[in-house]
Amino acid sequence: MIRTRAGLVSALALAAALGVSACSTTRGSDMPPLPASADAPVDYARDIHSYARPEIARVRHVALDLQADFSAKTLSGTAALDIQGVAGANEIILDVRDMDIRSVSDASGRPLQFETGASDPILGQPLTIRFPALSAGETRRIVIDYSTRPNAAALQWLSPQQTAGGQKPYLFSQGQAILTRTWVPTQDSPGIRQTYDARITAPADLTVVMSAEMLTKGGEAAADGRKAWRFRMTNPIPPYLIALGIGDLAFAPLDERTGVWTEPGRLPASAHELEPTAAMVDAAEKLYGPYRWGRYDLLVLPPSFPFGGMENPRLTFATPTIIAGDRSLVSLVAHELAHSWSGNLVTNATWSDFWLNEGFTVYFENRIMEAVYGRDRAMQEQVLGYDSLQETLATLPAADTRLKIELQGRDPDDGLTDVAYEKGALFLRTIERVVGRERFDAWLTGYFDRNAFRPMTTEQFLADIREHLTRNDPVLEQQLQMNAWIYQPGLPSNAVAPTSPAFAPVDAAAVAFFRDKGPASAIPWSGWNTQQRQRFLGWRPEGLRANADWLTAAQLADLQSTLNLTNEGNAELTFAWLQIAMAHRYQPAVPTVERFLTEQGRRKFVLPLFTTLWGEGDWGRTLARRIYAQARPLYHPVTTGSVDQLVGRS
């Protein structure tokens, strides 16, 4: 329950009054029926990152009819919203940012009164639309005629030169966390689930894909020689999962329900690399129940995509940096697939509850990797994650090392750290260790079923696990320390660091080279997998977590030449090497860092490398400014927003 102008209004009463399905379109041809949980009453948590007041009136369905103009870098057209509310509600509040609203009307075309409020640099503006009072259970359609702006932060418009083919432009969206409001006027809160359909018109030589079922294979003729593409998503989703891609795209199936989209020249390599996807879907279903989204395809994007992957339903958006040639980085696919349960099915109600998406997903990802690749590979991934978590815990303010994070007045991206991901997963592994895997798996399967297509708060999670797993057993509660994991900084006393015997020879080789100054020729590099190589390059002297000078120039030269790090094709290994090289101001690696930072825009790599350079005084800052001036136009706003803060660029 949250406070409104009329006082305290229960969303339970609202849902009971509505009494209708969340789905306003026919079910997709390959989509299973919605469970009863999808229509159960929702007690909306207050979302500090949205102006919406869903306890009064909420969006149930979005119908987009947009035209992509690559020359103007805009999407323009209409968003028709199906809304519902309590009896007597006469307005709805949406979230918009950097958007031009031309008009608002009802389903018959009659104008409706609307106004936008003051603009906040993080939240954007409230868009308030007024209409005749709603009746109990009524669904009303409002139509918004609008256009995005070229600076819409969710959208990146790429020139042909920024693509692999070099001949045609490209557009992709990235909505998480609160950027959907820059291209779709709706209630942009993860707790307000919505179905959607879309008609997207684009140049005839481009292909349109979305996070939804494609209804027009190959598109259909539209005005001015363009093509229109139609889509529908009949599962209610949080609005950050509405996603769009337009470009020169080709498709290759992996099996009957999985496949890969990407630029034609990259399709053979991408399809080969991502071939394990089909086996991962099978493994995930055996672990925690049916995949409820029909198809599971991937879109391998141009290098400027800011994340490793984005779990857009039916169509994971992925960075090309996972195409390593040896399938060594496909845990990213396992991660985004796992989101089809943890995140897309059961969603954090607010961004302070983000760990419920990512902690569960990292845990689930590792179980998929174990099922497909074996326990040893899974444990290596766990150890690397734990090492990364230790570095994060050492650098963040204590308050930001809690799972339930305070984000008042902050961008929700501030919570996108290894605390949500790795501490969250470690918490779940702790529960599994204490209660046993069989018992934990039974609870987790039930958790996904009971809460399918629903928002989840941390407090609701605790209520669920106490009712269905711990049974409020005081002894078990004491063993698990759940409140300490969630609400206290750092790691509780029952945290156990994962170990992998595969890393013992790696650690010995690291000590021999880094500490004892042995030759790089003694490193058994060729016999290691990627995870072992990451462990080696991540080694630091005891007590030294921050970058510092701890290698000689001769060692750096030996390492670079012997391991051929200048020509390393694996992005994770290149990144790990450059972190060492730049911390030592190693000039021979400067061409490599320049190339790496101007050929891809994945924030996981870009921000830490610029941070390292920035910490190296005049040498590093001069280099950072020079590279960033060249690279910034290539990056998505998600990445530039972070790096701009570092280098002080307005």
Side-chain angles (χ1 to χ4, degrees):
M1 301 175 73
I2 55 181
R3 186 168 297 277
T4 71
R5 292 177 189 168
L8 292 174
V9 178
S10 169
L12 293 173
L14 166 62
L18 299 178
V20 296
S21 169
C23 215
S24 60
T25 58
T26 304
R27 293 293 290 162
S29 59
D30 56 358
M31 303 280 261
L34 281 171
S37 57
D39 280 330
V42 175
D43 200 3
Y44 291 103
R46 178 175 177 266
D47 183 1
I48 60 175
H49 292 106
S50 172
Y51 294 106
R53 292 163 53 207
E55 76 286 353
I56 299 298
R58 61 155 293 182
V59 175
R60 303 286 287 191
H61 181 78
V62 178
L64 300 173
D65 190 348
L66 300 174
Q67 178 168 298
D69 187 333
F70 280 85
S71 59
K73 297 183 178 180
T74 61
L75 293 172
S76 62
T78 60
L81 310 182
D82 290 345
I83 62 171
Q84 297 172 345
V86 296
N90 62 0
E91 69 177 29
I92 189 167
I93 303 176
L94 310 178
D95 298 296
V96 297
R97 175 179 155 195
D98 294 329
M99 183 180 292
D100 294 317
I101 308 296
R102 292 186 287 256
S103 66
V104 181
S105 62
D106 65 14
S108 300
R110 290 186 292 268
L112 295 176
Q113 182 184 2
F114 70 93
E115 64 182 20
T116 53
S119 180
D120 179 271
I122 296 174
L123 304 182
Q125 298 172 281
L127 171 60
T128 303
I129 300 171
R130 297 182 177 86
F131 40 76
L134 293 171
S135 303
E138 179 186 2
T139 299
R140 185 80 57 81
R141 173 158 285 203
I142 58 176
V143 181
I144 304 168
D145 189 348
Y146 73 102
S147 176
T148 65
R149 296 177 184 173
N151 65 334
L155 305 177
Q156 186 165 22
W157 301 84
L158 302 178
S159 67
Q161 293 73 28
Q162 292 173 282
T163 67
Q167 301 298 314
K168 299 177 183 179
Y170 203 112
L171 166 68
F172 68 86
S173 70
Q174 171 54 44
Q176 195 178 42
I178 56 171
L179 298 182
T180 294
R181 66 192 66 184
T182 69
W183 77 283
V184 180
T186 188
Q187 292 176 318
D188 191 12
S189 171
I192 309 176
R193 302 182 74 100
Q194 303 153 35
T195 54
Y196 83 91
D197 64 74
R199 179 181 183 270
I200 307 295
T201 305
D205 59 345
L206 301 180
T207 297
V208 181
V209 293
M210 293 192 78
S211 56
E213 181 184 12
M214 182 186 289
L215 302 178
T216 49
K217 304 296 189 289
E220 57 190 18
D224 302 323
R226 300 163 68 85
K227 279 187 177 181
W229 303 73
R230 298 179 185 272
F231 305 87
R232 67 180 174 189
M233 169 50 65
T234 55
N235 285 344
I237 60 173
Y240 68 81
L241 293 177
I242 303 173
L244 171 68
I246 306 176
D248 182 15
L249 300 175
F251 178 77
L254 300 174
D255 72 352
E256 68 279 359
R257 62 172 173 172
T258 64
V260 181
W261 289 93
T262 193
E263 294 182 72
R266 286 183 167 164
L267 188 58
S270 296
H272 174 267
E273 194 83 5
L274 301 175
E275 186 272 336
T277 299
M280 289 181 177
V281 176
D282 292 340
E285 289 190 310
K286 289 178 182 177
L287 282 167
Y288 298 123
Y291 177 77
R292 300 175 185 262
W293 303 89
R295 292 196 59 82
Y296 182 76
D297 295 325
L298 298 106
L299 172 65
V300 180
L301 287 153
S304 60
F305 184 59
F307 296 132
M310 183 62 214
E311 62 272 17
N312 300 313
R314 297 181 62 101
L315 187 64
T316 281
F317 284 20
T319 170
T321 63
I322 67 167
I323 310 300
D326 59 1
R327 299 175 179 167
S328 61
L329 303 179
V330 293
S331 62
L332 183 144
V333 178
H335 182 92
E336 305 309 332
L337 169 64
H339 268 305
S340 300
W341 287 259
S342 48
N344 297 8
L345 197 63
V346 184
T347 308
N348 51 236
T350 74
W351 296 110
S352 292
D353 303 302
F354 184 56
W355 77 274
L356 292 171
N357 276 25
E358 297 299 348
F360 275 70
T361 297
V362 172
Y363 174 85
F364 193 172
E365 163 202 341
N366 197 252
R367 294 292 302 276
I368 294 171
M369 294 299 291
E370 179 180 331
V372 177
Y373 292 98
R375 176 72 172 170
D376 185 55
R377 170 70 178 274
M379 291 308 299
Q380 291 180 49
E381 301 276 5
Q382 280 191 36
V383 173
L384 292 176
Y386 184 83
D387 290 346
S388 180
L389 174 61
Q390 293 304 305
E391 294 180 6
T392 299
L393 293 176
T395 57
L396 285 178
D400 285 356
T401 65
R402 299 174 298 185
L403 288 179
K404 177 85 172 188
I405 186 174
E406 175 55 57
L407 291 170
Q408 183 70 48
R410 303 169 65 184
D411 191 309
D413 281 1
D414 289 351
L416 202 155
T417 73
D418 272 337
V419 172
Y421 290 74
E422 297 295 343
K423 181 180 175 179
L426 187 59
F427 174 34
L428 297 182
R429 287 197 289 268
T430 301
I431 300 173
E432 178 205 308
R433 174 173 52 81
V434 172
V435 306
R437 175 169 283 191
E438 183 177 356
R439 186 176 170 188
F440 181 77
D441 280 352
W443 169 77
L444 188 50
T445 301
Y447 171 85
F448 289 139
D449 284 340
R450 285 186 297 275
N451 302 293
F453 302 106
R454 294 181 58 74
M456 177 66 57
T457 66
T458 297
E459 291 67 35
Q460 289 168 336
F461 153 78
L462 285 171
D464 188 284
I465 200 169
R466 283 170 172 151
E467 178 181 356
H468 298 283
L469 180 61
T470 70
R471 311 290 183 183
N472 291 305
D473 180 340
V475 176
L476 190 53
E477 285 274 341
Q478 186 174 13
Q479 288 179 296
L480 294 177
Q481 301 184 51
M482 291 193 292
N483 285 348
W485 275 95
I486 291 169
Y487 299 114
Q488 297 300 317
L491 296 180
S493 60
N494 64 348
V496 175
T499 60
S500 170
F503 285 159
V506 176
D507 293 344
V511 169
F513 176 79
F514 291 123
R515 190 193 69 186
D516 299 340
K517 313 302 182 186
S521 59
I523 302 168
W525 189 257
S526 62
W528 288 344
N529 65 17
T530 292
Q531 288 67 40
Q532 290 170 304
R533 293 176 178 183
Q534 286 180 272
R535 172 77 170 195
F536 177 84
L537 292 174
W539 190 91
R540 298 293 185 272
E542 185 68 28
L544 179 66
R545 306 308 299 178
N547 292 304
D549 292 336
W550 49 281
L551 296 175
T552 65
Q555 279 185 292
L556 291 164
D558 190 14
L559 195 66
Q560 178 177 253
S561 61
T562 303
L563 304 186
N564 195 23
L565 294 173
T566 300
N567 300 310
E568 175 58 60
N570 186 301
E572 291 282 357
L573 301 181
T574 299
F575 168 71
W577 155 242
L578 290 175
Q579 282 287 69
I580 296 172
M582 293 303 99
H584 288 80
R585 307 183 188 182
Y586 184 56
Q587 194 67 34
V590 167
T592 304
V593 78
E594 288 181 314
R595 182 177 69 250
F596 189 67
L597 288 173
T598 55
E599 288 183 349
Q600 58 80 36
R602 187 175 175 184
R603 187 171 65 174
K604 173 186 176 180
F605 300 144
V606 170
L607 181 58
L609 277 172
F610 276 112
T611 300
T612 297
L613 288 171
W614 206 251
E616 293 305 310
D618 290 341
W619 180 86
R621 294 187 179 195
T622 299
L623 180 59
R625 290 189 184 98
R626 175 164 59 81
I627 295 175
Y628 194 46
Q630 180 183 357
R632 190 180 189 276
L634 310 177
Y635 294 159
H636 187 275
V638 165
T639 299
T640 59
S642 298
V643 183
D644 283 353
Q645 293 182 46
L646 177 71
V647 303
R649 182 189 179 110
S650 63

